[in-house]
Amino acid sequence: MIEQIDAIILDSKDYKEKDALLSVLSLKYGILHLVARGIRKINSKNASACLPFTYAKLMVDLKEQRSLHTLQSAVILKSYRKIREDLLKQSIASYFCEMIEKSNFDEDVFSILLEALSCLQDTKNPFSVLCLFQSIMNRMHGIEPFVDGCVRCGGLHNIYALSYRDGGFVCSSCYRQGIDSVQDKERLKKFRILCKAKWEHYEIIKEIPFDYDDFLHVYTYFEEYAGIGMKSIRFLKTICEMEVKAK
Ligand SMILES: [Zn+2]
């Protein structure tokens, strides 16, 4: 059955000589795996629409009860040129795609990824989009840190540090040296905002100067508790560190 589907390309791997295996996130069916024949040929009409994080209209031969389907043709809906021209944005977009593919959520994540790519395309501070995306992913994985008081005593005052081990804020009385990570008030405030934020708060988030360190804090919870190894994180970190040094 040939069907037209709107999808975001998550990944493209070489397959046989001129073919590729694509993972795509479709609006209707969630994640699908497709064989794209001849896509590595120089004159392939479909190649540019099958690049990672392209939003495309695909004609797919969907085979019932099979896990691998066949791509017939692909047309670009959005190429996200401003992401492709910027190494930091590009590495973030690849990270988003890997995150969505590996997380394999039951919930619909199509609109989240589409929104994340649109915000990333237009932003002057890619770290805001990266931080917000990561904290939403943490929440969807059920590993949201506790930020409504001290995670050990429940106290609301003198919040002083982050505990990765206990998963949340720690007050000055409960603080354990060498275990908890001391942070200034501004950093803790930004962390709390991230832990509460959803995409509909992006207009507020984009006005706050989130940086690479803010990302590392939310990412550390993911790394500790999600149980998912992210291949693209190493490259992303290298690019982020270059960006930070250049400033
Ligand atoms: Zn405490």
Side-chain angles (χ1 to χ4, degrees), residues 149-159 169-175:
C150 170
V151 72
R152 298 205 181 106
C153 72
L156 300 178
H157 303 291
N158 303 319
I159 297 299
F169 280 169
V170 174
C171 75
S172 52
S173 322
C174 297
Y175 168 71

Side-chain angles (χ1 to χ4, degrees), residues 78-207:
K78 279 187 186 168
S79 68
Y80 298 109
R81 188 174 51 83
K82 284 192 226 160
I83 297 180
R84 284 176 212 284
E85 289 169 356
D86 179 317
L87 196 55
L88 176 61
K89 287 186 176 183
Q90 210 183 96
S91 60
I92 293 174
S94 301
Y95 178 75
F96 287 173
C97 288
E98 188 188 358
M99 176 70 82
I100 294 294
E101 188 180 5
K102 290 205 169 148
S103 294
N104 222 345
F105 293 116
D106 289 329
E107 299 97 316
D108 173 27
V109 284
F110 187 85
S111 59
I112 293 180
L113 183 58
L114 201 61
E115 187 84 8
L117 291 172
S118 299
C119 295
L120 186 62
Q121 152 109 335
D122 295 328
T123 188
K124 287 197 174 73
N125 179 16
F127 289 116
S128 306
V129 186
L130 178 60
C131 286
L132 181 57
F133 180 84
Q134 185 63 59
S135 56
I136 290 170
M137 292 297 111
N138 287 2
R139 194 174 313 136
M140 289 182 73
H141 278 289
I143 49 172
E144 201 179 351
F146 179 75
V147 289
D148 287 329
C150 170
V151 72
R152 298 205 181 106
C153 72
L156 300 178
H157 303 291
N158 303 319
I159 297 299
Y160 185 64
L162 280 176
S163 165
Y164 295 124
R165 209 166 68 176
D166 291 339
F169 280 169
V170 174
C171 75
S172 52
S173 322
C174 297
Y175 168 71
R176 292 184 211 148
Q177 202 175 2
I179 294 174
D180 303 326
S181 166
V182 181
Q183 301 296 329
D184 64 40
K185 279 217 156 54
E186 196 52 38
R187 187 69 72 188
L188 292 169
K189 198 175 145 193
K190 285 202 283 180
F191 185 79
R192 185 169 188 277
I193 290 170
L194 280 180
C195 290
K196 302 277 176 190
K198 298 176 180 161
W199 273 118
E200 61 247 45
H201 303 125
Y202 179 66
E203 290 302 311
I204 302 166
I205 294 291
K206 73 178 192 186
E207 301 301 327

